[in-house]
Amino acid sequence: MPAHILVAGGGIGGLATALALSRAKHRADVFEQAAEFGEIGAGVQLGPNATRRLHQLDLGRGLAAIAARPGALVVHSAGSGTELARMPLGDAMQQRYGAPYCCVHRADLHTLLLDAVRAQGTGSLVTAARIRQVETSDDLVCVSSTDARAWEGEALVGADGLWSLVRAQLESESAEAPPRVTGHTAWRALVRQADLPVALRRSRVDVWLGPRLHAVAYPVRAGDALNVVVIAESAPAGDARDWDQASSLVALKQAMGRSCASLQSLLDAMPAWRAWTLSDRAPVAGPGDMAHERVALVGDAAHPMVPYLAQGAGMAIEDAVALADALGDTSALGVPAAFARYAEARWERNAQVQARARRNGEIFHATGAVRFGRDMAMRLLGSRLLDQPWLYGG
């Protein structure tokens, strides 16, 4: 008999998990703390490793309708604007990895997943459900909300993000430790391409590397919009989301310093910016950081990472499919063993991605001799240095 699984968190990871579980005939009830299901933010890059899983979930046609498929990844010097390296995407990625490299708006991907979960119809979607307490027994899990509602199931998946409450149910040393504040701030902006001068519109991923900062621009919404992100080692006092727009823009200008004219023109063309402080956790240390008995974690609840490998959403989607695969047609009795298989299969890959994302941040933001060596290596090796077969083929 299929298992009844509670999923805490209605973001991309939670909905992908619910969809994958529902397709495996399990009942998946999703609990979202907000008053309605929705997503904010801006762009998301999805490598072939992530789009392959979305195709497995029969979302290929829907993904094609919302995504941009950039033709190339081009890396520049933020100071001079000089091109350092280039990697073909588009058809080249499709041919090499059997799946496309896509750029989407986070809200569009969320809507695609939400519509699919609603159409699958094996469980409930519950809003305004802020989880307050979790209780587990040998064969059941019970969650209760701050407004005194309660639900019971045979397993619980924590997809509740960086500040996961479900995470505390794991019996690992890191379960209750707070996330690490990185000292980096991300500014994000979104603009309709039609509102930009022709010279600033883009159909590729452009990256500019500078001392202690980098910027990224890529198309989303089937190419109709442009997503721009600047990340700098420039942390505010307190939470960047509390800044007013004027102080946020002043800090952004200070962080950018002397950037090339083309990049500066792009930044100046953005109608508005939003700022976030960045946090992560140490790489997953073992399967106990992913699951324990009838509780499992996916996405940022298990392995939040800095965005320097563009794999936060991708790893959550991979987790979702892997969790459903581990459960298969397992009955409620077999859930602990299935969750253990899931954790064993996923922890090392997630740890590797977390570690490589941190390392990429050091390379992207390098100064002095390291920066000189990085630029030289990029000029010499080009796409061979930028491609990630271990990641995209996994």
Side-chain angles (χ1 to χ4, degrees):
M1 191 174 171
H4 179 193
I5 301 171
L6 312 180
V7 179
I12 288 170
L15 291 178
T17 299
L19 179 59
L21 291 172
S22 295
R23 287 171 55 81
K25 308 304 181 185
H26 299 288
R27 175 178 171 180
D29 295 338
V30 182
F31 301 90
E32 167 57 40
Q33 66 178 0
E36 60 184 24
F37 283 90
E39 185 63 272
I40 60 172
V44 176
Q45 296 183 66
L46 298 172
N49 57 301
T51 59
R52 187 180 305 115
R53 268 68 175 192
L54 292 174
H55 281 236
Q56 285 179 246
L57 297 174
D58 281 343
L59 297 177
R61 182 176 297 180
L63 178 64
I66 64 171
R69 289 185 59 175
L73 166 67
V74 183
V75 182
H76 315 259
S77 163
S80 67
T82 304
E83 181 176 319
L84 300 175
R86 177 183 294 252
M87 179 175 70
L89 298 176
D91 291 342
M93 278 295 209
Q94 178 73 49
Q95 292 167 7
R96 182 163 190 182
Y97 296 110
Y101 193 107
C102 292
C103 298
V104 299
H105 191 285
R106 183 176 291 272
D108 295 342
L109 177 59
H110 186 270
T111 298
L112 178 66
L113 290 164
L114 181 60
D115 289 346
V117 171
R118 284 177 170 150
Q120 195 74 37
T122 65
S124 301
L125 294 169
V126 184
T127 56
R130 184 180 292 274
I131 303 302
R132 176 182 62 87
Q133 189 172 357
V134 177
E135 297 180 12
T136 63
S137 66
D138 288 344
D139 54 0
L140 291 174
V141 177
C142 180
V143 300
S144 56
S145 63
T146 53
D147 58 356
R149 290 179 291 168
W151 301 268
E152 193 174 77
E154 291 150 347
L156 173 64
V157 177
D160 49 343
L162 177 67
W163 299 96
S164 171
L165 181 143
V166 176
R167 184 183 177 90
Q169 299 302 309
L170 303 187
E171 292 191 353
S172 70
E173 292 184 5
S174 65
E176 296 188 21
R180 178 190 75 130
V181 178
T182 64
H184 297 193
T185 298
W187 289 267
R188 295 182 173 94
L190 190 74
V191 63
R192 290 197 324 142
Q193 298 246 43
D195 294 338
L196 291 173
V198 174
L200 296 181
R201 299 175 193 175
R202 282 176 164 72
S203 59
R204 66 190 191 189
V205 180
D206 281 296
V207 182
W208 294 265
L209 305 181
R212 300 186 178 87
L213 65 89
H214 79 285
V216 187
Y218 53 84
V220 296
R221 296 198 153 154
D224 290 342
L226 187 69
N227 182 71
V228 181
V229 184
V230 176
I231 302 179
E233 297 174 26
S234 172
D239 190 335
R241 290 170 295 183
D242 295 333
W243 288 358
D244 60 67
Q245 186 171 340
S247 60
S248 175
L249 288 174
V250 169
L252 174 59
K253 294 281 189 181
Q254 291 174 341
M256 288 307 299
R258 295 181 179 178
S259 55
C260 63
S262 59
L263 175 56
Q264 196 61 56
S265 295
L266 180 64
L267 302 183
D268 290 342
M270 294 301 105
W273 293 90
R274 296 189 67 183
W276 280 263
T277 55
L278 298 182
S279 299
D280 69 355
R281 291 185 182 274
V284 178
D289 285 348
M290 297 282 300
H292 176 70
E293 297 296 339
R294 292 184 176 273
V295 177
L297 303 180
V298 300
D300 284 352
H303 45 72
M305 59 189 68
V306 286
Y308 302 125
L309 203 53
Q311 281 291 324
M315 288 301 105
I317 293 166
E318 282 195 16
D319 285 346
V321 174
L323 184 67
D325 286 348
L327 278 165
D329 59 0
T330 299
S331 67
L333 189 64
V335 164
F339 278 6
R341 289 194 297 272
Y342 157 74
E344 190 63 47
R346 288 297 299 163
W347 80 268
E348 288 181 296
R349 178 164 171 84
N350 284 320
Q352 183 181 17
V353 173
Q354 285 178 288
R356 289 290 289 268
R358 283 187 174 185
R359 180 186 168 206
N360 265 18
E362 295 172 358
I363 294 171
F364 285 6
H365 293 188
T367 61
V370 175
R371 180 186 177 198
F372 178 81
R374 175 203 68 198
D375 291 356
M376 180 177 292
M378 284 193 170
R379 289 189 180 100
L380 288 172
L381 299 175
S383 62
R384 285 179 290 169
L385 191 64
L386 298 175
D387 200 1
Q388 307 286 335
W390 67 272
L391 176 61
Y392 299 142

